[in-house]
Amino acid sequence: MNKKNIYISYAEKDKNYKEEFVEHLSPLIFSNLIEELNSNSILPGENWRDEIRKQIDEADLYIFLLSSSFFASGYLNDMEVQRALKISRKENKMIIPILLREVDYSSLELSNYQALPRNSKPVANWENRDKAW
């Protein structure tokens, strides 16, 4: 099986959730089944906008960690989400929104994609967040 590139998009305020999520993906990463792509892998001196575009273009799967902070970021919405939606429509790539904190995004195109956790209970509201992940 070929390794899949997974682009994880999140607001800086939600970095702790992103790290928890990646920790839960670690068996897949160690098994060389997936590789995480995100802005943290951009090296000093690289053009970060070009690198993010490249990562989004190369991704096989897009994961959006949703919260009010995520939607408050014009860049995440205007560039990352829109680029991923466009590529997904064209190349049939999967998009998975993960609801971190309560936020109403029902008016946005991203709401057309089945979110996790399936019961729409945000990860932050779980007594045991490991179960949410």
Side-chain angles (χ1 to χ4, degrees), residues 18-133:
K18 182 262 186 188
E19 290 171 355
E20 283 180 22
F21 177 60
V22 171
E23 187 175 292
H24 282 272
L25 294 177
S26 60
L28 298 172
I29 294 169
F30 293 142
S31 298
N32 214 26
L33 296 173
I34 64 170
E35 181 175 343
E36 174 200 0
L37 304 174
N38 67 53
S39 59
N40 290 338
S41 62
I42 298 172
L43 299 174
E46 291 183 326
N47 182 310
W48 63 271
R49 286 189 176 145
D50 289 346
E51 286 300 312
I52 288 175
R53 282 187 204 105
K54 180 180 171 189
Q55 289 180 5
I56 292 171
D57 292 349
E58 293 175 354
D60 300 299
L61 167 68
Y62 307 104
I63 296 178
F64 296 107
L65 302 179
L66 307 183
S67 67
S68 56
S69 299
F70 181 90
F71 290 110
S73 168
Y75 182 81
L76 292 175
N77 288 295
D78 295 343
M79 205 297 261
E80 294 187 19
V81 172
Q82 294 309 311
R83 190 172 191 90
L85 287 169
K86 180 180 176 183
I87 292 170
S88 176
R89 285 189 295 266
K90 188 174 167 184
E91 299 179 26
N92 201 29
K93 293 185 179 184
M94 187 177 292
I95 292 176
I96 301 175
I98 297 178
L99 190 57
L100 297 180
R101 298 184 282 126
E102 292 187 34
V103 62
D104 180 9
Y105 64 104
S106 59
S107 63
L108 302 175
E109 184 177 356
L110 200 52
S111 70
N112 294 326
Y113 294 84
Q114 178 62 51
L116 293 175
R118 281 201 179 266
N119 61 6
S120 297
K121 181 179 178 181
V123 172
N125 292 0
W126 287 66
E127 189 172 315
N128 181 342
R129 291 203 318 222
D130 287 334
K131 287 185 179 183
W133 295 120

